Amino acid sequence: MFQAYDFIYDGIPGDEYGLMLGYVGSVSQSESSTLGANLEIYEDKIPSRTKSLFYGVEETPLEFDLSFVSCEPFSRFELEQIASSLSGKYRYCPLYICQPDLDGLHFQCILNDFKVTYIDGRPIGLECTAHCDSPFAYADPVIFSFATAGNHTIINSSSDNGYLYPKMEITIPAGSTELKIVNTSDNNRSFSIKLPQSLGTDVIFSIDENYVVSCNNSAIATPYECIDQYRFFRLVKGRNDLVITGNGTVNITCEFRKRVGG
């Protein structure tokens, strides 16, 4: 066995299965793995034309192989139970690999294509493919809380060169109607929530990374209409200088994307 590591998948540690991540047998000195930087190119080739019609590129999700090993051989019954527990997921689940260079990071993935590993005819482990929901791993959530208007800064440490749309919880206190955030690092892009009228209680808006908006107050029948121009808050890579005006509190939850490969 070579370089065995603990793991946690969907909140269940590997030792509950009697498994660790590692290799069985010898491993060649030359190894390779993907960094999740593969691009799918969209273009059309036209006869007699030198250049193609280029539409754009899209990063493909990260995939990598995993080997689960045990110090003791499994029975067929135990193996079936373990494979069923690890593979019976119908959603992306967090995978933590407990090694120093992945501390504080996790992948969102589905484990697929399981194979049994044998030594001397006895099942000793499993191999599978981890299919991730993106090209990146994710840092553990960091919450930025701003309780006052004024100037604030968030450093987006993602490896992703694109925009990051974080989760948000915004509280507009009783008697107030608007809270606005201008990101001066993003060409002064503004995000604001406007209530149709002043209400007698605090109003809490929750916005997730897929732009799903909910509100705790039944007087706001359509929370989306409170988002000015349906323009959602986002972060550019690196430094983001924010100017907050109006009354209220803002909690911004970021899971920074890291290109660490698999």
Side-chain angles (χ1 to χ4, degrees):
M1 191 182 298
F2 176 76
Q3 286 187 331
Y5 295 106
D6 292 322
F7 71 95
I8 303 170
Y9 182 58
D10 196 20
I12 301 176
D15 55 15
E16 289 197 17
Y17 303 111
L19 292 174
M20 299 183 73
L21 286 172
Y23 301 97
V24 174
S26 62
V27 180
S28 65
Q29 292 183 347
S30 177
E31 298 181 58
S32 64
S33 64
T34 178
L35 270 177
N38 296 325
L39 297 178
E40 187 169 345
I41 301 172
Y42 294 93
E43 62 183 353
D44 282 329
K45 298 287 187 179
I46 298 178
S48 74
R49 179 169 175 164
T50 304
K51 291 186 176 181
S52 63
L53 294 177
F54 177 71
Y55 305 121
V57 298
E58 184 176 359
E59 287 200 68
T60 58
L62 178 65
E63 280 195 348
F64 54 90
D65 295 329
L66 291 173
S67 294
F68 301 101
V69 295
S70 172
C71 294
E72 298 293 334
F74 292 109
S75 69
R76 292 286 183 178
F77 176 73
E78 291 171 326
L79 197 62
E80 186 275 334
Q81 284 189 315
I82 292 170
S84 177
S85 297
L86 290 173
S87 65
K89 310 294 182 183
Y90 297 96
R91 56 185 171 81
Y92 289 101
C93 300
L95 170 66
Y96 287 86
I97 299 176
C98 304
Q99 64 185 58
D101 58 348
L102 292 176
D103 185 38
L105 299 175
H106 69 276
F107 301 92
Q108 288 287 342
C109 61
I110 295 173
L111 304 184
N112 191 30
D113 193 23
F114 279 80
K115 298 179 178 65
V116 182
T117 305
Y118 295 91
I119 290 183
D120 295 331
R122 298 179 298 172
I124 197 70
L126 296 166
E127 295 179 352
C128 70
T129 299
H131 177 81
C132 299
D133 69 342
S134 78
F136 305 97
Y138 301 93
D140 290 339
V142 179
I143 300 177
F144 299 89
S145 296
F146 306 122
T148 58
N151 299 327
H152 304 279
T153 298
I154 293 177
I155 304 298
N156 174 9
S157 61
S158 293
S159 302
D160 189 358
N161 292 318
Y163 297 111
L164 175 65
Y165 289 85
K167 296 179 182 178
M168 304 182 74
E169 184 178 274
I170 297 170
T171 300
I172 297 180
S176 298
T177 59
E178 183 177 3
L179 186 142
K180 183 177 182 180
I181 307 174
V182 175
N183 189 345
T184 61
S185 303
D186 188 13
N187 296 316
N188 290 318
R189 178 186 172 93
S190 67
F191 161 83
S192 68
I193 290 183
K194 298 180 180 180
L195 302 183
Q197 61 186 18
S198 176
L199 300 175
T201 60
D202 292 352
V203 181
I204 302 174
F205 289 87
S206 297
I207 305 173
D208 72 10
E209 65 272 23
N210 295 315
Y211 325 134
V212 176
V213 184
S214 59
C215 179
N216 73 325
N217 196 311
S218 59
I220 308 297
T222 52
Y224 286 96
E225 292 185 358
C226 296
I227 308 296
D228 186 37
Q229 300 182 45
Y230 299 99
R231 182 183 294 164
F232 289 89
F233 179 75
R234 69 189 188 189
L235 297 170
V236 297
K237 183 177 180 179
R239 184 184 178 92
N240 291 261
D241 292 314
L242 312 177
V243 179
I244 299 178
T245 56
N247 294 322
T249 60
V250 181
N251 292 320
I252 300 173
T253 302
C254 298
E255 290 183 284
F256 298 124
R257 303 162 184 165
K258 300 295 185 177
R259 195 183 295 281
V260 296

Short mmCIF file of all heavy atoms in Angstrom, two decimals, residues 115-158:
data_model
loop_
_atom_site.label_atom_id
_atom_site.label_comp_id
_atom_site.label_asym_id
_atom_site.label_seq_id
_atom_site.Cartn_x
_atom_site.Cartn_y
_atom_site.Cartn_z
N LYS A 115 -15.26 -0.49 -9.58
CA LYS A 115 -14.62 -1.77 -9.90
C LYS A 115 -13.99 -2.33 -8.61
O LYS A 115 -13.57 -1.57 -7.74
CB LYS A 115 -13.55 -1.60 -10.97
CG LYS A 115 -14.07 -1.10 -12.32
CD LYS A 115 -12.92 -0.95 -13.31
CE LYS A 115 -13.44 -0.49 -14.68
NZ LYS A 115 -14.03 0.88 -14.61
N VAL A 116 -13.92 -3.63 -8.53
CA VAL A 116 -13.35 -4.29 -7.36
C VAL A 116 -11.86 -4.53 -7.58
O VAL A 116 -11.44 -4.94 -8.68
CB VAL A 116 -14.06 -5.63 -7.07
CG1 VAL A 116 -13.49 -6.28 -5.80
CG2 VAL A 116 -15.57 -5.41 -6.92
N THR A 117 -11.05 -4.27 -6.54
CA THR A 117 -9.62 -4.54 -6.58
C THR A 117 -9.34 -5.84 -5.80
O THR A 117 -9.82 -6.00 -4.68
CB THR A 117 -8.82 -3.39 -5.94
OG1 THR A 117 -9.16 -2.17 -6.59
CG2 THR A 117 -7.32 -3.63 -6.08
N TYR A 118 -8.57 -6.74 -6.42
CA TYR A 118 -8.27 -8.04 -5.80
C TYR A 118 -6.77 -8.18 -5.55
O TYR A 118 -5.95 -7.67 -6.30
CB TYR A 118 -8.72 -9.19 -6.71
CG TYR A 118 -10.21 -9.27 -6.93
CD1 TYR A 118 -10.81 -8.61 -8.01
CD2 TYR A 118 -11.02 -10.03 -6.09
CE1 TYR A 118 -12.18 -8.68 -8.22
CE2 TYR A 118 -12.39 -10.12 -6.30
CZ TYR A 118 -12.96 -9.44 -7.37
OH TYR A 118 -14.31 -9.52 -7.58
N ILE A 119 -6.44 -8.91 -4.49
CA ILE A 119 -5.08 -9.42 -4.26
C ILE A 119 -5.21 -10.90 -3.93
O ILE A 119 -5.94 -11.27 -3.00
CB ILE A 119 -4.39 -8.67 -3.11
CG1 ILE A 119 -4.05 -7.23 -3.52
CG2 ILE A 119 -3.10 -9.38 -2.70
CD1 ILE A 119 -3.31 -6.44 -2.47
N ASP A 120 -4.53 -11.71 -4.71
CA ASP A 120 -4.59 -13.17 -4.54
C ASP A 120 -6.03 -13.67 -4.54
O ASP A 120 -6.41 -14.56 -3.76
CB ASP A 120 -3.90 -13.59 -3.23
CG ASP A 120 -2.41 -13.29 -3.24
OD1 ASP A 120 -1.83 -13.31 -4.35
OD2 ASP A 120 -1.85 -13.02 -2.17
N GLY A 121 -6.84 -13.06 -5.40
CA GLY A 121 -8.22 -13.50 -5.53
C GLY A 121 -9.16 -13.02 -4.45
O GLY A 121 -10.34 -13.35 -4.46
N ARG A 122 -8.67 -12.19 -3.52
CA ARG A 122 -9.52 -11.70 -2.44
C ARG A 122 -9.80 -10.21 -2.64
O ARG A 122 -8.87 -9.44 -2.92
CB ARG A 122 -8.84 -11.92 -1.09
CG ARG A 122 -8.59 -13.40 -0.75
CD ARG A 122 -7.89 -13.53 0.59
NE ARG A 122 -6.58 -12.88 0.58
CZ ARG A 122 -5.82 -12.72 1.66
NH1 ARG A 122 -6.26 -13.14 2.84
NH2 ARG A 122 -4.64 -12.13 1.57
N PRO A 123 -11.07 -9.78 -2.49
CA PRO A 123 -11.39 -8.35 -2.67
C PRO A 123 -10.81 -7.52 -1.53
O PRO A 123 -11.06 -7.78 -0.36
CB PRO A 123 -12.93 -8.34 -2.64
CG PRO A 123 -13.32 -9.58 -1.91
CD PRO A 123 -12.27 -10.59 -2.20
N ILE A 124 -9.98 -6.53 -1.91
CA ILE A 124 -9.27 -5.73 -0.93
C ILE A 124 -9.62 -4.24 -1.04
O ILE A 124 -9.25 -3.44 -0.20
CB ILE A 124 -7.74 -5.93 -1.07
CG1 ILE A 124 -7.01 -5.43 0.18
CG2 ILE A 124 -7.23 -5.21 -2.32
CD1 ILE A 124 -7.23 -6.29 1.38
N GLY A 125 -10.38 -3.86 -2.09
CA GLY A 125 -10.71 -2.45 -2.24
C GLY A 125 -11.58 -2.19 -3.45
O GLY A 125 -12.05 -3.12 -4.11
N LEU A 126 -11.78 -0.91 -3.73
CA LEU A 126 -12.63 -0.47 -4.83
C LEU A 126 -11.94 0.65 -5.60
O LEU A 126 -11.16 1.43 -5.02
CB LEU A 126 -13.98 0.06 -4.31
CG LEU A 126 -14.89 -0.93 -3.59
CD1 LEU A 126 -15.98 -0.17 -2.85
CD2 LEU A 126 -15.50 -1.91 -4.57
N GLU A 127 -12.23 0.72 -6.89
CA GLU A 127 -11.80 1.84 -7.71
C GLU A 127 -13.03 2.47 -8.33
O GLU A 127 -14.01 1.77 -8.65
CB GLU A 127 -10.83 1.38 -8.80
CG GLU A 127 -9.51 0.85 -8.28
CD GLU A 127 -8.59 0.39 -9.40
OE1 GLU A 127 -9.06 0.36 -10.56
OE2 GLU A 127 -7.43 0.08 -9.12
N CYS A 128 -13.01 3.78 -8.51
CA CYS A 128 -14.14 4.46 -9.12
C CYS A 128 -13.69 5.77 -9.75
O CYS A 128 -12.52 6.16 -9.64
CB CYS A 128 -15.24 4.71 -8.08
SG CYS A 128 -14.81 5.97 -6.86
N THR A 129 -14.63 6.45 -10.40
CA THR A 129 -14.38 7.76 -10.99
C THR A 129 -15.19 8.80 -10.23
O THR A 129 -16.38 8.60 -9.97
CB THR A 129 -14.78 7.78 -12.47
OG1 THR A 129 -14.00 6.83 -13.18
CG2 THR A 129 -14.56 9.16 -13.08
N ALA A 130 -14.55 9.89 -9.85
CA ALA A 130 -15.23 11.01 -9.22
C ALA A 130 -15.58 12.03 -10.30
O ALA A 130 -14.69 12.60 -10.93
CB ALA A 130 -14.35 11.66 -8.15
N HIS A 131 -16.87 12.23 -10.52
CA HIS A 131 -17.34 13.22 -11.50
C HIS A 131 -17.80 14.46 -10.73
O HIS A 131 -18.75 14.40 -9.96
CB HIS A 131 -18.49 12.66 -12.34
CG HIS A 131 -19.06 13.67 -13.31
ND1 HIS A 131 -18.47 13.95 -14.52
CD2 HIS A 131 -20.15 14.47 -13.21
CE1 HIS A 131 -19.18 14.87 -15.15
NE2 HIS A 131 -20.20 15.20 -14.36
N CYS A 132 -17.10 15.59 -10.94
CA CYS A 132 -17.36 16.80 -10.17
C CYS A 132 -18.36 17.71 -10.88
O CYS A 132 -18.60 17.59 -12.08
CB CYS A 132 -16.06 17.55 -9.91
SG CYS A 132 -14.84 16.60 -8.98
N ASP A 133 -18.92 18.64 -10.12
CA ASP A 133 -19.92 19.55 -10.69
C ASP A 133 -19.28 20.74 -11.40
O ASP A 133 -19.99 21.55 -12.00
CB ASP A 133 -20.89 20.03 -9.61
CG ASP A 133 -20.23 20.95 -8.59
OD1 ASP A 133 -18.97 20.97 -8.50
OD2 ASP A 133 -20.96 21.66 -7.86
N SER A 134 -17.96 20.87 -11.33
CA SER A 134 -17.26 22.00 -11.94
C SER A 134 -15.80 21.61 -12.13
O SER A 134 -15.38 20.54 -11.69
CB SER A 134 -17.37 23.24 -11.05
OG SER A 134 -16.46 23.15 -9.97
N PRO A 135 -14.99 22.48 -12.73
CA PRO A 135 -13.55 22.19 -12.84
C PRO A 135 -12.78 22.42 -11.55
O PRO A 135 -11.57 22.24 -11.54
CB PRO A 135 -13.08 23.17 -13.94
CG PRO A 135 -14.31 23.68 -14.59
CD PRO A 135 -15.38 23.64 -13.54
N PHE A 136 -13.45 22.80 -10.46
CA PHE A 136 -12.76 23.29 -9.28
C PHE A 136 -13.10 22.49 -8.03
O PHE A 136 -14.14 21.84 -7.95
CB PHE A 136 -13.13 24.75 -9.02
CG PHE A 136 -12.88 25.67 -10.19
CD1 PHE A 136 -13.91 26.00 -11.05
CD2 PHE A 136 -11.62 26.17 -10.44
CE1 PHE A 136 -13.70 26.84 -12.12
CE2 PHE A 136 -11.38 27.00 -11.51
CZ PHE A 136 -12.42 27.34 -12.36
N ALA A 137 -12.20 22.59 -7.04
CA ALA A 137 -12.53 22.26 -5.66
C ALA A 137 -13.01 23.55 -4.99
O ALA A 137 -12.85 24.65 -5.53
CB ALA A 137 -11.31 21.70 -4.93
N TYR A 138 -13.60 23.41 -3.80
CA TYR A 138 -14.17 24.56 -3.11
C TYR A 138 -13.53 24.71 -1.73
O TYR A 138 -13.39 23.73 -1.00
CB TYR A 138 -15.68 24.41 -2.95
CG TYR A 138 -16.41 24.28 -4.25
CD1 TYR A 138 -16.69 23.02 -4.78
CD2 TYR A 138 -16.83 25.39 -4.97
CE1 TYR A 138 -17.36 22.88 -5.99
CE2 TYR A 138 -17.50 25.26 -6.18
CZ TYR A 138 -17.76 24.00 -6.68
OH TYR A 138 -18.43 23.85 -7.87
N ALA A 139 -13.19 25.94 -1.40
CA ALA A 139 -12.73 26.22 -0.05
C ALA A 139 -13.94 26.20 0.89
O ALA A 139 -15.08 26.44 0.48
CB ALA A 139 -12.04 27.57 0.02
N ASP A 140 -13.69 25.89 2.16
CA ASP A 140 -14.77 25.92 3.13
C ASP A 140 -15.38 27.32 3.17
O ASP A 140 -14.68 28.32 2.98
CB ASP A 140 -14.25 25.53 4.51
CG ASP A 140 -13.88 24.04 4.59
OD1 ASP A 140 -14.37 23.26 3.75
OD2 ASP A 140 -13.10 23.67 5.48
N PRO A 141 -16.69 27.41 3.43
CA PRO A 141 -17.37 28.71 3.37
C PRO A 141 -16.75 29.76 4.30
O PRO A 141 -16.38 29.47 5.43
CB PRO A 141 -18.80 28.38 3.78
CG PRO A 141 -18.97 26.92 3.49
CD PRO A 141 -17.62 26.31 3.74
N VAL A 142 -16.67 30.98 3.78
CA VAL A 142 -16.23 32.15 4.55
C VAL A 142 -17.36 33.17 4.52
O VAL A 142 -17.89 33.49 3.45
CB VAL A 142 -14.94 32.77 3.98
CG1 VAL A 142 -14.54 33.99 4.79
CG2 VAL A 142 -13.82 31.75 3.96
N ILE A 143 -17.76 33.67 5.69
CA ILE A 143 -18.87 34.63 5.77
C ILE A 143 -18.32 36.03 6.04
O ILE A 143 -17.58 36.25 7.00
CB ILE A 143 -19.87 34.23 6.87
CG1 ILE A 143 -20.46 32.85 6.59
CG2 ILE A 143 -21.00 35.27 6.96
CD1 ILE A 143 -21.40 32.36 7.68
N PHE A 144 -18.68 36.97 5.17
CA PHE A 144 -18.34 38.37 5.35
C PHE A 144 -19.61 39.10 5.82
O PHE A 144 -20.62 39.10 5.11
CB PHE A 144 -17.84 38.98 4.04
CG PHE A 144 -16.59 38.33 3.50
CD1 PHE A 144 -16.67 37.23 2.66
CD2 PHE A 144 -15.34 38.80 3.86
CE1 PHE A 144 -15.52 36.62 2.17
CE2 PHE A 144 -14.19 38.20 3.37
CZ PHE A 144 -14.28 37.11 2.52
N SER A 145 -19.55 39.68 7.01
CA SER A 145 -20.71 40.34 7.60
C SER A 145 -20.47 41.84 7.68
O SER A 145 -19.46 42.28 8.24
CB SER A 145 -20.99 39.78 9.00
OG SER A 145 -21.33 38.40 8.93
N PHE A 146 -21.41 42.61 7.13
CA PHE A 146 -21.33 44.07 7.15
C PHE A 146 -22.61 44.61 7.77
O PHE A 146 -23.70 44.44 7.21
CB PHE A 146 -21.14 44.62 5.74
CG PHE A 146 -19.96 44.01 5.00
CD1 PHE A 146 -20.15 43.37 3.79
CD2 PHE A 146 -18.68 44.07 5.53
CE1 PHE A 146 -19.08 42.81 3.11
CE2 PHE A 146 -17.60 43.51 4.86
CZ PHE A 146 -17.80 42.87 3.65
N ALA A 147 -22.47 45.23 8.94
CA ALA A 147 -23.64 45.71 9.68
C ALA A 147 -23.85 47.21 9.53
O ALA A 147 -24.84 47.74 10.01
CB ALA A 147 -23.50 45.36 11.16
N THR A 148 -22.93 47.88 8.85
CA THR A 148 -23.05 49.33 8.70
C THR A 148 -22.78 49.73 7.26
O THR A 148 -22.07 49.04 6.52
CB THR A 148 -22.05 50.06 9.61
OG1 THR A 148 -20.72 49.64 9.29
CG2 THR A 148 -22.33 49.75 11.08
N ALA A 149 -23.36 50.87 6.89
CA ALA A 149 -23.06 51.43 5.57
C ALA A 149 -21.63 51.94 5.56
O ALA A 149 -21.01 52.18 6.59
CB ALA A 149 -24.04 52.55 5.25
N GLY A 150 -21.07 52.07 4.34
CA GLY A 150 -19.71 52.57 4.22
C GLY A 150 -18.91 51.74 3.25
O GLY A 150 -19.45 51.04 2.40
N ASN A 151 -17.59 51.82 3.37
CA ASN A 151 -16.68 51.14 2.46
C ASN A 151 -16.20 49.82 3.07
O ASN A 151 -15.78 49.78 4.23
CB ASN A 151 -15.48 52.03 2.13
CG ASN A 151 -15.90 53.33 1.45
OD1 ASN A 151 -16.86 53.36 0.70
ND2 ASN A 151 -15.17 54.40 1.72
N HIS A 152 -16.24 48.76 2.28
CA HIS A 152 -15.83 47.44 2.73
C HIS A 152 -15.07 46.75 1.60
O HIS A 152 -15.20 47.13 0.43
CB HIS A 152 -17.03 46.60 3.15
CG HIS A 152 -17.89 47.26 4.20
ND1 HIS A 152 -17.58 47.23 5.53
CD2 HIS A 152 -19.04 47.98 4.08
CE1 HIS A 152 -18.51 47.89 6.21
NE2 HIS A 152 -19.40 48.36 5.35
N THR A 153 -14.31 45.72 1.96
CA THR A 153 -13.50 45.02 0.96
C THR A 153 -13.64 43.51 1.14
O THR A 153 -13.65 43.00 2.25
CB THR A 153 -12.01 45.41 1.09
OG1 THR A 153 -11.87 46.81 0.83
CG2 THR A 153 -11.16 44.64 0.08
N ILE A 154 -13.75 42.82 0.00
CA ILE A 154 -13.69 41.35 -0.03
C ILE A 154 -12.62 40.95 -1.02
O ILE A 154 -12.59 41.45 -2.15
CB ILE A 154 -15.04 40.73 -0.44
CG1 ILE A 154 -16.10 40.97 0.62
CG2 ILE A 154 -14.90 39.22 -0.68
CD1 ILE A 154 -17.48 40.45 0.25
N ILE A 155 -11.73 40.05 -0.61
CA ILE A 155 -10.71 39.50 -1.52
C ILE A 155 -11.22 38.15 -2.02
O ILE A 155 -11.37 37.20 -1.26
CB ILE A 155 -9.35 39.33 -0.82
CG1 ILE A 155 -8.89 40.66 -0.22
CG2 ILE A 155 -8.32 38.79 -1.81
CD1 ILE A 155 -8.66 41.75 -1.25
N ASN A 156 -11.49 38.09 -3.31
CA ASN A 156 -11.93 36.85 -3.93
C ASN A 156 -10.69 36.06 -4.36
O ASN A 156 -10.06 36.37 -5.37
CB ASN A 156 -12.82 37.15 -5.14
CG ASN A 156 -13.21 35.90 -5.92
OD1 ASN A 156 -12.96 34.77 -5.48
ND2 ASN A 156 -13.82 36.08 -7.08
N SER A 157 -10.34 35.04 -3.57
CA SER A 157 -9.11 34.29 -3.81
C SER A 157 -9.31 33.09 -4.73
O SER A 157 -8.47 32.19 -4.77
CB SER A 157 -8.53 33.81 -2.47
OG SER A 157 -9.45 32.96 -1.80
N SER A 158 -10.40 33.08 -5.48
CA SER A 158 -10.68 31.96 -6.38
C SER A 158 -9.63 31.85 -7.49
O SER A 158 -9.06 32.85 -7.92
CB SER A 158 -12.07 32.12 -7.02
OG SER A 158 -13.10 32.01 -6.08
#
